[in-house]
Amino acid sequence: MPQQKKTVASATFVATVTPNEIVKGNTSQGVRYSKMPGALIERKGRPSMTRTVMAFGRENRAVARSLREGKPVDVICQFDGGTVRIKGKADAKKAA
């Protein structure tokens, strides 16, 4: 039996995400998602970066109404390979 690779989840962090473009759709299982290719990600004390940012299901419902092209929004994120996955909306206290 082949050994399975263990995936290690990266730590979550608060970031300001500015979407350049927002693509909405459904996964093959019918889960609603938002995909933001080329979004600007800014974190306190770190250089800015451009990555694809995605939100699925419950996390997507929590932030979908706040997402606007060109408008920065504070969210809780986690690296998921080469993309950044939104885990929820950030508190105003945590973002400051």
Side-chain angles (χ1 to χ4, degrees):
M1 181 177 217
Q3 290 185 340
Q4 290 182 347
K5 258 186 151 177
K6 290 185 181 181
T7 56
V8 178
S10 68
T12 59
F13 56 91
V14 176
T16 301
V17 173
T18 306
N20 186 33
E21 171 187 5
I22 302 171
V23 179
K24 296 183 183 268
N26 294 314
T27 66
S28 59
Q29 290 85 24
V31 176
R32 192 82 176 138
Y33 71 85
S34 295
K35 178 179 178 180
M36 295 153 275
L40 178 66
I41 302 163
E42 299 172 290
R43 296 195 292 171
K44 199 173 193 176
R46 303 278 181 123
S48 300
M49 65 176 92
T50 303
R51 294 279 189 279
T52 296
V53 177
M54 298 188 76
F56 296 91
R58 184 177 8 178
E59 292 87 359
N60 184 51
R61 283 191 301 276
V63 298
R65 291 186 178 193
S66 334
L67 299 174
R68 300 281 180 267
E69 291 178 11
K71 181 185 172 211
V73 62
D74 294 326
V75 291
I76 299 170
C77 300
Q78 183 176 37
F79 283 106
D80 187 7
T83 64
V84 174
R85 191 166 179 169
I86 293 177
K87 302 305 278 182
K89 202 166 187 178
D91 295 0
K93 289 183 235 174
K94 287 182 182 177

